[in-house]
């Protein structure tokens, strides 16, 4: 990785150029996508995807109540109205019924798109949602910022929709050493629009040809880091999956569950769902084990999003109070993993 960085520093260019192009084609090949466009971060990836799709200004984008606010923020950046949708208790993504309820509610703007967030690293089965949104004529954007490398039936997430977005924030499954993001497309004209939009809307240099542009380019230093790390992604995901499986085994006798399933998750977060969430968090803390809640607020609880509430997100609100993300990093030592699993076993049997 240091050699790759040194090469970019010495040879340049320091904006776009061959290191960015190399990573884009490597990541596209890895995913099985036709095109990848590197951008500044995962939020811009979503916003640029919305703009590339040319969704009607002021139209509504369905976003899941538990998605943390990223897609909702990006919708606002693109001049769209985020509309909150509740999620299923077990899959943690919207069902067709929930999406339909939000889309047809009085509060909703005219809907033009649906965002599915593959949350916590789970490759969500979105076939029914995909079929539904096609019948309604909605665009589909898959937010894969927590699911690099996750596969369903051997196929990478992000290939069902019109665009798939990724973040390379350092803690993501594929992380840079700063900000970074990307958008994967099947359609070449959408990819071309996104390439223009990430650089002021330029078609020809110095000529703004596509409206709604910004400056959001993947940094070549970050691209070089990502190229160096991509070959290790699957191996690191396997370690995350094993950590998550060890936690699942530790609580098997309790009424708690570990979200996701062993084949389809890349365990970005190892999420435990239990009514005793706060007591468990306190016990872990007393043993020196850090945990976190992803996310502590549903979208309608965040005033800055000015969210349109499609239908009361009661399931997401219930989950919010019962979820806890356990330590889940490929760098964890066996002793650290054992310390967490021992503590979980003691809690589950106590
Ligand atoms: C991290 C994340 C983002 C935002 O990515 P940034 O690179 O921080 O802008 C978007 N969506 C999800 C689900 C994320 O986890």
């Amino acid at each position: 990785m240091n050699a790759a960085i040194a090469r970019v520093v010495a040879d340049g260019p320091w904006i776009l150029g061959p290191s960015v192009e190399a990573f884009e084609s490597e990541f596209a090949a890895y995913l099985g996508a036709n095109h990848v466009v590197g951008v500044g971060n995962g939020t811009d990836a979503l916003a640029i995807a919305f703009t590339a799709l040319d969704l009607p200004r002021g139209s509504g984008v369905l976003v899941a109540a538990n998605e943390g606010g990223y897609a909702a923020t990006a919708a606002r950046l693109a001049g769209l109205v985020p509309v909150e949708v509740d999620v299923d208790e077990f899959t943690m993504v919207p069902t067709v019924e929930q999406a339909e309820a939000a889309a047809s509610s009085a509060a909703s703007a005219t809907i033009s798109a649906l965002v599915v967030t593959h949350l916590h690293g789970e490759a969500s089965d979105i076939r029914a949602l995909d079929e539904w949104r096609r019948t309604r004529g909605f665009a589909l954007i898959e937010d894969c910022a927590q699911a690099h490398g996750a596969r369903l039936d051997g196929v990478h997430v992000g290939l069902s929709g019109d665009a798939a977005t990724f973040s390379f924030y350092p803690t993501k499954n594929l992380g840079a050493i700063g900000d970074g993001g990307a958008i994967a497309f099947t359609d070449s004209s959408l990819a071309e629009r996104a390439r223009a939009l990430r650089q002021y809307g330029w078609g020809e240099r110095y000529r703004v040809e596509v409206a709604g542009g910004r400056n959001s380019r993947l940094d070549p230093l970050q691209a070089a880091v990502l190229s160096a790390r991509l070959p290790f992604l699957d191996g690191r995901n396997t370690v995350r999956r094993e950590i998550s499986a060890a936690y699942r085994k530790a609580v098997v006798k309790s009424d708690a569950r570990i979200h996701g399933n062993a084949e389809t998750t890349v365990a970005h977060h190892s999420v435990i769902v239990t009514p005793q969430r706060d007591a468990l968090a306190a016990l872990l803390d007393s043993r020196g084990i850090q945990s976190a809640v992803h996310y502590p607020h549903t979208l309608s609880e965040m005033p800055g999003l000015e969210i349109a509430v499609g239908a009361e997100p009661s399931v997401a609100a219930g989950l919010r109070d019962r979820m806890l993300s356990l330590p889940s990093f490929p760098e964890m030592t066996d002793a650290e993993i054992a310390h967490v699993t021992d503590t979980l076993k003691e809690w589950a049997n106590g």
Side-chain angles (χ1 to χ4, degrees):
M1 187 171 97
N2 288 348
I5 294 170
R7 201 173 329 112
V8 176
V9 172
D11 298 351
W14 294 341
I15 299 290
L16 296 178
S19 349
V20 173
E21 286 163 25
F23 172 68
E24 287 175 340
S25 57
E26 288 155 16
F27 196 48
Y30 171 80
L31 294 172
N34 291 349
H35 309 278
V36 165
V37 179
V39 296
N41 57 68
T43 308
D44 281 352
L46 285 157
I48 290 171
F50 293 139
T51 307
L53 283 160
D54 209 12
L55 305 172
R57 201 154 250 288
S59 64
V61 179
L62 298 171
V63 290
N66 61 347
E67 64 93 16
Y70 305 105
T73 297
R76 288 288 180 199
L77 284 170
L80 304 166
V81 178
V83 177
E84 185 176 44
V85 189
D86 205 3
V87 298
D88 178 75
E89 164 80 18
F90 293 95
T91 67
M92 298 193 188
V93 294
T95 62
V96 168
E97 291 69 30
Q98 288 168 327
E100 181 61 53
S104 52
S105 72
S108 302
T110 305
I111 303 297
S112 62
L114 164 70
V115 178
V116 173
T117 304
H118 293 280
L119 212 59
H120 309 306
E122 179 70 16
S124 303
D125 184 348
I126 57 166
R127 282 172 286 203
L129 266 180
D130 188 23
E131 204 170 297
W132 169 78
R133 67 94 187 180
R134 284 173 196 275
T135 64
R136 298 294 304 260
F138 301 158
L140 172 63
I141 295 96
E142 293 180 79
D143 185 353
C144 306
Q146 302 186 358
H148 320 65
R151 295 167 174 91
L152 191 66
D153 296 334
V155 179
H156 278 283
V157 294
L159 303 177
S160 316
D162 300 287
T165 61
F166 294 84
S167 164
F168 306 119
Y169 183 88
T171 59
K172 307 289 179 174
N173 292 47
L174 179 60
I177 56 169
D179 278 314
I183 319 165
F185 294 100
T186 302
D187 184 274
S188 61
S189 60
L190 285 179
E192 200 178 318
R193 277 175 62 81
R195 275 184 216 288
L197 288 166
R198 74 174 168 185
Q199 183 155 251
Y200 322 113
W202 284 353
E204 184 187 308
R205 193 170 179 83
Y206 304 133
R207 184 164 190 271
V208 176
E209 294 174 8
V210 183
R214 63 187 68 210
N215 177 12
S216 182
R217 300 171 288 218
L218 178 62
D219 187 282
L221 284 169
Q222 303 302 340
V225 168
L226 292 165
S227 285
R229 288 184 166 176
L230 180 58
F232 301 99
L233 174 59
D234 283 342
R236 288 167 60 86
N237 280 344
T238 299
V239 176
R240 287 179 182 269
R241 209 177 275 125
E242 285 167 0
I243 294 170
S244 173
Y247 295 163
R248 185 170 295 114
K249 204 167 150 215
V251 300
V252 73
K253 292 206 187 97
S254 74
D255 61 357
R257 72 173 197 274
I258 303 288
H259 175 64
N261 85 59
E263 287 77 48
T264 54
T265 190
V266 291
H268 176 64
H269 299 130
S270 273
V271 173
I272 187 166
V273 182
T274 168
Q276 281 83 49
R277 189 269 306 277
D278 292 342
L280 174 60
L283 173 69
L284 292 169
D285 187 54
S286 75
R287 302 290 166 82
I289 300 165
Q290 277 191 3
S291 62
V293 178
H294 299 100
Y295 291 95
H297 307 290
T298 62
L299 300 189
S300 44
E301 293 167 344
M302 297 197 259
L305 294 176
E306 302 177 79
I307 195 89
V309 182
E312 247 353 275
S314 53
V315 182
L319 275 167
R320 171 205 59 208
D321 297 332
R322 285 179 286 117
M323 296 172 52
L324 191 67
S325 301
L326 303 167
S328 180
F329 313 101
E331 297 82 5
M332 286 174 80
T333 64
D334 289 348
E336 285 169 340
I337 297 166
H339 181 45
V340 181
T341 52
D342 288 347
T343 308
L344 285 174
K345 275 183 214 159
E346 177 192 323
W347 172 79
N349 299 331

